[in-house]
Amino acid sequence: MTIRSLIFFFAVVALAHHGAKATTFVTSADGTTTQPADTAYSDWSDKGIDLDIVVVTATRTPKPLSKSPIPIQIISANDIRKTDATNVQDILQRELPGVEFSYSMNMQVNMNMAGFAGQSVLFLIDGERMAGETNDNIDFERIVANGVDHIEIVKGAASALYGSSANGGVINIITRDLADGTEWTLDADGRIGSHGERRYALNWGVRRKTLANKIQLSYHGSDCYQVHSKRTEALPLIFDYVPGQEVYNVGDRLTYQPHERVKLTGRLYYYYRQMVRKQGESEHTRYYDYTAGLRGNFRLGKRDMLEVAYLFDQYDKTRYYVPSQLAVSDRDVREYSNVQNSVRALWTHPVEQGTLAIGTDYLYDYLVNIKLGNAHYKQSSFDAFAQYDRSLGDNWEVVGALRYDFFEIGHRSQVTPKVSLAWHREQFKLRTSYGMGFRAPSLKELYYDFEAMPSWYIDGNSELVPERSHNFTLAADYAHGAYTYTLLSYYNRISDRLTTGVPRSLADGAHLAYTNLRQMSITGGEASVQGRWSSGWRAKLAYSYTNEHNPDQAPNQFMPARPHALNYNVEHSRTAGSHYSWSAILSGRWLADVHNDEYRSTQHPEEGIMRVHYPAYHLHTFQFVQRWDDYISLTFGIDNLLGYKPDNYFYNAPLTTGRSYSLSLHIDIDKAYRHWK
Amino acid sequence: MANETKMRKYFQYPILTVLGMSSMTFSACSGLVDIYDELTVQDTASSPYRQLHVTATTYDDWTYLTLDNPDSTVVLPIPTTLNSGEWDGVTSYTRQEIKLGSTTELSSTPTDAQPEPERWDLAFHHFDIRTNGGMAFETEYTSLDQLPAHWSDIPGIEWQADQTTKDRVWIDLSNSLAFNIGCQTIDISLPLSNMAWMDVSNPPPIYNVSGHVCLLRMKDGTVAALFLDNYMNEKGKKGYLTISYIYPYE
């Protein structure tokens, strides 16, 4: 860390300390919120750390956050709004210290969360899986901040409830719904920024008796631009351009509640993204998604609940030939399509001192890809699971879950257990758990046949076995006064990790095949402290530690996890009169340097391995938010406040060329209408 | 293309698109399939112009032809060593570090001269084109239909002879992920070679086309007009060039 950054951090801490002088108890651990004595600040509708928020991801049953027996992190609607983020990438990086997004060939995005790459972290939207992948990561642009209510994050293996790909954790995106009793809502959002960044979004909701409908529209885009590295040696994993893109997300959700015991929800979703890597290129890559789902929630008897859902999700990639005089111009040709049809059912039955949940899922997975020799592959998978969640006296709670998964290809079966134990007294909560995770090899990893570059191939491997992990977690939360403290530590033992292996030189070039690594482990932890004071100050500091231990010493396919990372957020809010308030928010993150063993040339593995150093960096953002009458907000933002510019644009470097600016406007039209009416 | 126009309408009316999806005929298992275009290369059999089709998918040779008889091609390998003992002063095997915006020469070794057939007008190496002592000019016309009756009516013609390039003719891409590319140092026609352009400086390749008609003046003074129709086959594989041309262009 440089002297300048140290001074900056001290300044941040001093600022927070200054704000802490006049503290008043605001939020208690049981979720009750008391009004501060000093009301001369605007809390921006912030209810503090809302422990009453109902979470579903940890146990697949609704539960107040304070009662969750499994550690779960929440990024609230208020947090999301303050980030002024466009997509889930921005939100996660700003809020979670152990999350980093890096890039790979063709600037495809890869996530790393606590040592697990994106393919080992299960992303859900309202509890439902997403079709399609690139580098086995979901298309993160499908999750725009506009439609998100809050995000629930469960770290560690959760395959006992969620099956394949949940061996590193689950990130469940809970979308916004029309609040009970609301007749209509309408809000609009716009943002412009450097590098041609633009974002426009509209949400419109209407309720008529038993029917409620919500439409979400959003568009965002940016221009492509070049970046220049200062490198003095051949370093392969760097990029020279940041692609531009155009992204549309359109969603509609219709809810019909003919009876208090019955709720039917239908949803449709359309997604389009076009990536432009260079001005004037004659071919663009496009991405589409079409989703249609139907869900029924039924209350049976006194307290039994049954949820039955069907989801169709098709994710396509196409090559679009730009209009010109070429014989193939102006054509949009499909190159990849992943179609998933899934049916699921979940029955929850209250029992003495607890809840029993029993569920089952069926997934039909269909994949066609020109990189599979233009062949199509299909696979059915089925699972059944049960979970018993029980209180033991006043202070103890135990959860046990067991799941069985069956995959058609190879007739593979998998049994995964999870046990959690929680103890709490007043403001203190201690949780520990053991869970098993697994990731079944994808159709791509089994059957890929792709000439990525002339003389360089990526091959599937039909002999692959599922990756498995054993996860042990210990977590503690403590709330005192204006402060909340959290600690989380974990150990993961991973066998048969799915990745690409050692390249082989064959007659037609180098071949990189998918393989299973023998064994590796990830140890780590997180610590955070946050405070909120009646003087209008609020601050949060979070640190994460990740240690990957790979005895095989196999070169990492993706960027390694950084061992240390720090996120902070300091904000101050004030009101001026009855119609105007403002907030000043300073936030940032620091990521430690990391070394990685990589092939000097993946096309020529015989040239050996080199150790590459990826430097530390820190980025800071300042936002000034003004609000008028609670229905208009105007945010001016400065990203990369200190003007950091990487010497070399490694695949894990931030996409920045220095300080950048943004301006965004949000209008709650329904609130404005009611105000003026 | 009609389907693309259809897609654009989808974007203009996104809600209708989403709602309309539910009424589309599709198999739930394999999804919506008829909403995209097929990569059928335009039927050019009825084209009023002559066409030449060149398969130039490999990187280690040049394909030679004449405009009189373009179907008869001669493929000759690119030399990478100097076996004859006599260097022509130009032809070399050069290793370059090629990245967006910068090219650094790592090494250069003289080689034998590029072998050529007795009679040829144009030579093709992937998207690179050489002339047999000719000169070329890139016009502003985007179709052969737009050309005036006589080439001499085209204003501002500045003929360019083939020029020596050290980083354009890529013959060894086996280390391209490290940006280390083996090139042939040789004279090529830049106006003709720029009709299609592949950039591998940041993999995967980025493709560009000029979209302009080029004029070629042979060393005997006759002139041809050429236009690149396509650079791929019906499966999307690059290196299959289709060029419409007028020859002789009076």
Side-chain angles (χ1 to χ4, degrees), chain B residues 82-115:
Chain B
L82 184 62
N83 296 327
S84 64
E86 289 185 24
W87 185 40
D88 64 5
V90 175
T91 314
S92 308
Y93 179 63
T94 308
R95 290 216 72 92
Q96 301 275 10
E97 191 175 272
I98 297 177
K99 288 182 59 58
L100 204 62
S102 72
T103 300
T104 307
E105 185 175 312
L106 304 174
S107 66
S108 189
T109 309
T111 68
D112 290 340
Q114 175 62 42

Side-chain angles (χ1 to χ4, degrees), chain A residues 108-133:
Chain A
Q108 304 291 355
V109 183
N110 184 58
M111 190 188 77
N112 191 306
M113 184 174 85
F116 285 93
Q119 54 270 63
S120 293
V121 177
L122 181 63
F123 271 82
L124 304 169
I125 295 182
D126 292 325
E128 290 171 323
R129 283 174 180 266
M130 300 166 68
E133 54 75 36

Side-chain angles (χ1 to χ4, degrees), chain A residues 16-217:
Chain A
H17 181 71
H18 169 76
K21 283 178 182 171
T23 58
T24 304
F25 203 127
V26 175
T27 308
S28 65
D30 64 2
T32 57
T33 305
T34 55
Q35 286 296 317
D38 179 4
T39 55
Y41 72 97
S42 164
D43 67 0
W44 200 6
S45 304
D46 190 353
K47 299 294 183 290
I49 305 150
D50 188 357
L51 298 176
D52 274 341
I53 187 171
V54 174
V55 296
V56 295
T57 310
T59 58
R60 283 185 84 155
T61 51
K63 215 174 236 308
L65 177 60
S66 60
K67 309 274 190 216
S68 173
I70 294 169
I72 184 165
Q73 290 171 283
I74 301 294
I75 302 174
S76 70
N78 206 38
D79 291 335
I80 293 168
R81 188 169 48 167
K82 286 176 183 174
T83 61
D84 196 26
T86 296
N87 60 25
V88 72
Q89 223 173 302
D90 301 336
I91 298 169
L92 294 177
Q93 286 195 133
R94 177 152 158 178
E95 294 295 317
L96 303 177
V99 171
E100 183 182 13
F101 287 85
S102 59
Y103 302 88
S104 53
M105 187 191 279
N106 207 15
M107 293 303 285
Q108 304 291 355
V109 183
N110 184 58
M111 190 188 77
N112 191 306
M113 184 174 85
F116 285 93
Q119 54 270 63
S120 293
V121 177
L122 181 63
F123 271 82
L124 304 169
I125 295 182
D126 292 325
E128 290 171 323
R129 283 174 180 266
M130 300 166 68
E133 54 75 36
T134 300
N135 282 336
D136 292 313
N137 281 254
I138 59 146
D139 187 338
F140 295 102
E141 297 294 342
R142 282 179 62 184
I143 307 171
V144 285
N146 171 51
V148 178
D149 182 79
H150 68 277
I151 300 173
E152 301 179 8
I153 301 119
V154 177
K155 287 184 175 168
S159 291
L161 281 183
Y162 293 101
S164 180
S165 299
N167 45 346
V170 178
I171 296 179
N172 194 0
I173 312 297
I174 309 298
T175 60
R176 276 202 269 170
D177 209 346
L178 204 58
D180 287 342
T182 305
E183 280 195 4
W184 67 280
T185 62
L186 182 62
D187 63 79
D189 177 86
R191 173 181 158 119
I192 52 172
S194 303
H195 298 303
E197 183 198 351
R198 60 264 182 197
R199 180 185 79 203
Y200 312 103
L202 190 76
N203 293 295
W204 179 35
V206 180
R207 184 189 303 281
R208 290 287 180 272
K209 296 180 181 174
T210 56
L211 283 172
N213 192 64
K214 181 130 196 207
I215 294 175
Q216 295 174 340
L217 311 170

Side-chain angles (χ1 to χ4, degrees), chain A residues 258-460:
Chain A
H259 188 271
E260 62 177 6
R261 289 173 174 271
V262 178
K263 182 179 178 183
L264 301 174
T265 305
R267 75 176 175 103
L268 294 169
Y269 169 76
Y270 169 76
Y271 165 78
Y272 163 81
R273 174 162 69 103
Q274 175 171 276
M275 186 166 80
V276 178
R277 296 188 295 160
K278 188 179 177 185
Q279 290 297 341
E281 67 175 340
S282 57
E283 302 173 8
H284 297 324
T285 308
R286 286 181 169 179
Y287 307 84
Y288 297 88
D289 189 82
Y290 313 89
T291 301
L294 190 62
R295 187 172 66 218
N297 293 85
F298 309 93
R299 189 148 63 83
L300 311 172
K302 281 189 176 177
R303 291 188 297 161
D304 282 25
M305 296 296 297
L306 176 67
E307 179 176 298
V308 181
Y310 163 75
L311 185 72
F312 167 85
D313 189 357
Q314 175 175 346
Y315 181 81
D316 297 339
K317 300 177 196 177
T318 68
R319 185 167 295 268
Y320 173 63
Y321 297 94
V322 175
S324 67
Q325 298 300 316
L326 278 182
V328 293
S329 74
D330 203 11
R331 293 189 191 183
D332 199 12
V333 180
R334 183 174 73 159
E335 295 192 334
Y336 168 104
S337 186
N338 180 210
V339 183
Q340 294 188 346
N341 285 273
S342 60
V343 180
R344 60 193 177 89
L346 176 67
W347 173 58
T348 54
H349 174 64
V351 293
E352 189 181 355
Q353 301 292 316
T355 307
L356 176 68
I358 295 175
T360 184
D361 306 88
Y362 170 78
L363 172 67
Y364 182 84
D365 198 5
Y366 174 86
L367 178 69
V368 59
N369 188 349
I370 60 166
K371 295 166 188 172
L372 292 163
N374 221 9
H376 62 86
Y377 291 91
K378 55 193 178 183
Q379 171 169 247
S380 292
S381 58
F382 159 83
D383 66 73
F385 61 91
Q387 176 190 257
Y388 185 42
D389 173 359
R390 181 185 168 90
S391 297
L392 302 173
D394 293 336
N395 303 108
W396 291 90
E397 188 153 3
V398 64
V399 182
L402 192 67
R403 174 170 169 133
Y404 170 79
D405 282 85
F406 174 78
F407 296 90
E408 181 186 11
I409 292 179
H411 296 278
R412 293 192 177 97
S413 297
Q414 180 69 47
V415 176
T416 40
K418 181 157 187 167
V419 181
S420 304
L421 188 64
W423 175 83
H424 64 91
R425 173 170 286 178
E426 297 178 349
Q427 318 286 347
F428 185 74
K429 190 150 198 166
L430 196 63
R431 302 172 173 104
T432 185
S433 67
Y434 159 74
M436 189 176 166
F438 79 100
R439 181 167 83 83
S442 65
L443 293 171
K444 182 179 103 174
E445 288 164 330
L446 290 167
Y447 302 117
Y448 218 34
D449 175 17
F450 174 41
E451 185 179 4
M453 285 285 290
S455 308
W456 193 62
Y457 301 84
I458 303 176
D459 299 334

Side-chain angles (χ1 to χ4, degrees), chain A residues 105-106 215 217 226 228 231 233-241 248 250-252 268-270 272 277-283 286 288 290-292 310 312 314 316 318-321 323-334 337 339 341 364 366 451-456 600-604 607 651, chain B residues 1-2 4-5 7-8 10-11 14-15 17-19 21-22 26-33 35-42 44 59 97-102 142-143 172-179 197-209 211 227-233 235-238:
Chain A
M105 187 191 279
N106 207 15
I215 294 175
L217 311 170
Q226 291 185 18
H228 301 285
R231 76 206 165 88
E233 55 180 320
L235 296 169
L237 301 180
I238 60 176
F239 59 89
D240 278 345
Y241 66 88
Y248 292 83
V250 181
D252 183 78
L268 294 169
Y269 169 76
Y270 169 76
Y272 163 81
R277 296 188 295 160
K278 188 179 177 185
Q279 290 297 341
E281 67 175 340
S282 57
E283 302 173 8
R286 286 181 169 179
Y288 297 88
Y290 313 89
T291 301
Y310 163 75
F312 167 85
Q314 175 175 346
D316 297 339
T318 68
R319 185 167 295 268
Y320 173 63
Y321 297 94
S324 67
Q325 298 300 316
L326 278 182
V328 293
S329 74
D330 203 11
R331 293 189 191 183
D332 199 12
V333 180
R334 183 174 73 159
S337 186
V339 183
N341 285 273
Y364 182 84
Y366 174 86
E451 185 179 4
M453 285 285 290
S455 308
W456 193 62
R600 291 182 187 280
S601 167
T602 48
Q603 290 164 307
H604 291 279
E607 292 180 10
Y651 277 160
Chain B
M1 180 64 196
E4 173 53 30
T5 308
M7 295 305 294
R8 265 194 232 108
Y10 294 160
F11 307 145
I15 301 170
T17 302
V18 175
L19 295 175
M21 278 170 47
S22 57
F26 72 100
S27 156
C29 295
S30 55
L32 302 155
V33 291
I35 51 176
Y36 301 112
D37 301 315
E38 294 293 325
L39 187 62
T40 49
V41 176
Q42 199 174 51
T44 52
Y59 291 89
E97 191 175 272
I98 297 177
K99 288 182 59 58
L100 204 62
S102 72
T142 57
S143 163
D172 179 13
L173 287 160
S174 68
N175 212 6
S176 55
L177 293 178
F179 309 108
W197 168 248
M198 181 177 76
D199 181 354
V200 294
S201 59
N202 212 327
I206 293 173
Y207 297 93
N208 293 81
V209 291
F227 183 78
L228 178 76
D229 290 319
N230 201 8
Y231 57 83
M232 71 191 83
N233 68 1
K235 292 182 178 175
K237 188 168 174 60
K238 310 300 190 292

Side-chain angles (χ1 to χ4, degrees), chain B:
Chain B
M1 180 64 196
N3 274 354
E4 173 53 30
T5 308
K6 191 166 63 182
M7 295 305 294
R8 265 194 232 108
K9 285 178 184 172
Y10 294 160
F11 307 145
Q12 289 168 9
Y13 305 103
I15 301 170
L16 292 179
T17 302
V18 175
L19 295 175
M21 278 170 47
S22 57
S23 61
M24 278 186 181
T25 303
F26 72 100
S27 156
C29 295
S30 55
L32 302 155
V33 291
D34 60 350
I35 51 176
Y36 301 112
D37 301 315
E38 294 293 325
L39 187 62
T40 49
V41 176
Q42 199 174 51
D43 180 15
T44 52
S46 58
S47 170
Y49 305 106
R50 297 176 70 182
Q51 283 191 321
L52 60 89
H53 303 274
V54 182
T55 301
T57 55
T58 53
Y59 291 89
D60 51 2
D61 49 39
W62 282 94
T63 300
Y64 296 85
L65 55 80
T66 63
L67 291 180
D68 288 335
N69 185 16
D71 294 336
S72 176
T73 59
V74 177
V75 179
L76 294 170
I78 291 174
T80 54
T81 55
L82 184 62
N83 296 327
S84 64
E86 289 185 24
W87 185 40
D88 64 5
V90 175
T91 314
S92 308
Y93 179 63
T94 308
R95 290 216 72 92
Q96 301 275 10
E97 191 175 272
I98 297 177
K99 288 182 59 58
L100 204 62
S102 72
T103 300
T104 307
E105 185 175 312
L106 304 174
S107 66
S108 189
T109 309
T111 68
D112 290 340
Q114 175 62 42
E116 296 168 354
E118 190 176 332
R119 185 165 175 267
W120 62 283
D121 294 328
L122 292 172
F124 295 84
H125 167 271
H126 216 64
F127 300 157
D128 310 311
I129 300 176
R130 296 165 55 214
T131 69
N132 188 4
M135 293 195 284
F137 173 68
E138 179 183 341
T139 72
E140 292 299 315
Y141 298 108
T142 57
S143 163
L144 292 174
D145 299 340
Q146 299 169 353
L147 290 175
H150 303 287
W151 68 265
S152 54
D153 293 335
I154 297 173
I157 293 178
E158 294 179 10
W159 296 107
Q160 287 185 50
D162 289 7
Q163 296 174 37
T164 304
T165 60
K166 305 181 86 173
D167 59 358
R168 285 289 297 263
V169 181
W170 300 324
I171 57 177
D172 179 13
L173 287 160
S174 68
N175 212 6
S176 55
L177 293 178
F179 309 108
N180 186 324
I181 294 172
C183 305
Q184 183 186 32
T185 295
I186 194 168
D187 292 357
I188 65 169
S189 170
L190 290 177
L192 294 178
S193 299
N194 286 341
M195 288 198 295
W197 168 248
M198 181 177 76
D199 181 354
V200 294
S201 59
N202 212 327
I206 293 173
Y207 297 93
N208 293 81
V209 291
S210 74
H212 290 157
V213 173
C214 279
L215 300 182
L216 165 66
R217 192 172 76 181
M218 313 280 216
K219 61 184 174 187
D220 64 3
T222 57
V223 172
L226 301 97
F227 183 78
L228 178 76
D229 290 319
N230 201 8
Y231 57 83
M232 71 191 83
N233 68 1
E234 66 281 358
K235 292 182 178 175
K237 188 168 174 60
K238 310 300 190 292
Y240 293 86
L241 301 179
T242 302
I243 294 175
S244 291
Y245 66 98
I246 301 170
Y247 180 72
Y249 179 30
E250 302 296 336

